[in-house]
Amino acid sequence: MPNMPHRTIHLFRKGLRLHDNPTLLAALESSEVVYPVYILDRKFLMSAMNMGTLRWHFLLQSLEDLQRNLTKLGSCLLVIQGEYESVLRDRVKMWNITQVTLDAEIEPFYKEMERTIQVLGGEMGFDVLSLMGHTLYDIRRILDMNGGTPPLTYKRFLHSLSVLGDPDMPVRNLTAEDFQRCKPPPELCLAEDYRVPLPEDLEIPRESQSPWRGGETEGLQRLEHHLKNQGWIANFTKPRTIPNSLLPSTTGLSPYFSLGCLSVRRFFYRLSNIYAQSKNHSLPPVSLQGQLLWREFFYTVASATPNFTRMAGNPICLQINWYQDAERLYKWRTAQTGFPWIDAIMTQLHQEGWIHHLARHAVACFLTRGDLWISWEEGMKVFEEMLLDADYSINAGNWMWLSASAFFHQYTRIFCPVRFGKRTDPEGQYIRKYLPVLMNFPSKYIYEPWTAPEEAQKQAGCIIGQDYPLPMVNHKEASDRNLQLMKQVREEQYGTAQLTRDDMDDPMEMGLKHELSEENPKKGKRARNREQT
Ligand code: FAD
């Protein structure tokens, strides 16, 4: 404890939680008063993060939850609308602030914000303390360990981590005692000006159909619910989870990690405890800890790769002459491709803001190298707007992966928009749920309703080409042509392709090879590759 305790603003950006919050803990330990502040800078949130309606709801719910939890501990959350620099300038003056604490983040727009705050600190005479809380490791340590550059394959990344050892343990939970000494003045906590706005205050449509409710409390409940199922946790094998189950077949925790309502370190160590008690458990890349390490991998690469969310100027990304086709992009975005599997996924995305990892594979491959040959950047922007878990590093990293622009190199594997979903949901229950217009189609035709005889279409009450679109492309022709284009690009840019090449390659294929080969025992490897999942 320094001699002169600080007067601190703790600035929440992500990290909307009270458990495992090292920066807030440091603020409380060094201050006579801590003002917990969230600056709702709409212009910044819209331009830097392209927030869609569902994500706005999730954010506001998370802020309300944080407000409730802080109040229980005798403090409160002060939400201030406005441009962050001028808000901060005002409050620093008004409250005689000597320190601003905030979580360190890796996104360029958050780094820029931190730089601005540092400059402001120099000018106005306050200290800035920022600590990493959003990732398992301080990403800078991984980069240092690797000579200042990011390991560009998961295997090399795991090697770097094996030298670093386990991540730091989560810090202790905050208690009422921690806040006792440094509560903000009660009149501020009661002031109408500082409350969490309602969706209508921000002109956001009131209703959200998403089954995900934002906030630390809900995130912790979901986490505990999963952790009770120790066998499931220990045996979790990502490629065996089902993309078209009616309830998520994976944890569904990503929206909570994304806003920092949940600590990844808490999850990591709870998993370690379960693994320690299990005779056998799955391993990275397919285990649950392996999933957290994928997250960490993309954060590490993104933090040190220029133009990570763009193709141009991005040194690890193949430079591809994608088609610019606004009409086709629109059809994909609005679930009108005419392929029910693709359209059902895009509908779930619009309605709920979350889709399974393999469902993301299906629609991303379809948009890019599979069928439409449209840039991954376009798809990434749509996901950024629609996903509750939208994340700068993970979104761009996976879009580069799926479009075989970086990280993934078995580009001859193209997902078939008909067969992919059929494998795990032959009756098409998922399609019936999200595309009720196809509800009454016989299972035989549900993945390719355009092949149903006219009579069957009439009986199902849905005429293809009238009530539901015809397929927008001939998948076989489009994917054959795109495969040739991709082959050519990769030959021309062999050096770039090699940068992120890993002999482990696609983890979603691991553990499935055996099943695939049994499915088509007579087919050769090449034929099976083209056979498509
Ligand atoms: P689980 O399987 O339960 O995994 C637990 C956690 O591990 C996840 O919550 C997530 O934080 C992390 N994780 C899992 N898979 C990955 C992965 N492939 N890469 C990095 N981290 C992973 N995930 C996001 O969080 N935000 C995004 O913006 C995002 N965009 C994606 C875009 C595309 C094209 C694809 C193919 C995947 C994307 N993912 C993204 C990764 C992945 O699909 C989701 O993290 C996962 O489906 C979330 O569901 P879950 O929490 O049930 O995952």
Side-chain angles (χ1 to χ4, degrees), residues 238 250-254 291 354 357 360 389 391 394-395 398:
K238 186 70 168 262
T250 51
T251 64
L253 293 175
S254 51
Q291 304 314 298
W354 184 91
H357 184 58
R360 300 181 198 212
D389 61 32
D391 180 287
I394 312 179
N395 199 17
N398 276 285

Side-chain angles (χ1 to χ4, degrees), residues 212 232 236 238 241 248-255 257-258 264 267 287-288 290-296 298 354-364 383-384 387-402:
W212 274 265
W232 182 76
F236 183 94
K238 186 70 168 262
T241 60
S249 61
T250 51
T251 64
L253 293 175
S254 51
F257 291 130
S258 172
V264 279
F267 189 35
S287 61
L288 269 173
Q291 304 314 298
L292 291 182
L293 296 174
W294 279 111
R295 179 180 186 275
E296 200 79 1
F298 287 122
W354 184 91
I355 47 179
H356 185 276
H357 184 58
L358 280 175
R360 300 181 198 212
H361 273 228
V363 295
F383 269 29
E384 190 184 24
L387 277 174
L388 293 175
D389 61 32
D391 180 287
Y392 173 90
S393 311
I394 312 179
N395 199 17
N398 276 285
W399 271 98
M400 277 188 264
W401 182 295
L402 260 299

Side-chain angles (χ1 to χ4, degrees), residues 411-467:
Y411 65 94
T412 54
R413 284 177 202 266
I414 292 177
F415 297 111
C416 171
V418 171
R419 271 190 296 263
F420 189 173
K422 240 187 213 175
R423 207 160 46 110
T424 43
D425 179 22
E427 304 297 323
Q429 297 302 350
Y430 175 82
I431 292 174
R432 291 175 210 280
K433 175 175 176 187
Y434 290 103
L435 300 178
V437 64
L438 299 176
M439 172 96 81
N440 297 321
F441 262 89
S443 302
K444 193 174 158 191
Y445 302 117
I446 188 97
Y447 283 88
E448 36 193 344
W450 63 92
T451 63
E454 208 182 319
E455 199 42 45
Q457 297 188 24
K458 275 191 191 144
Q459 268 182 23
C462 171
I463 305 299
I464 302 304
Q466 193 178 303
D467 304 313

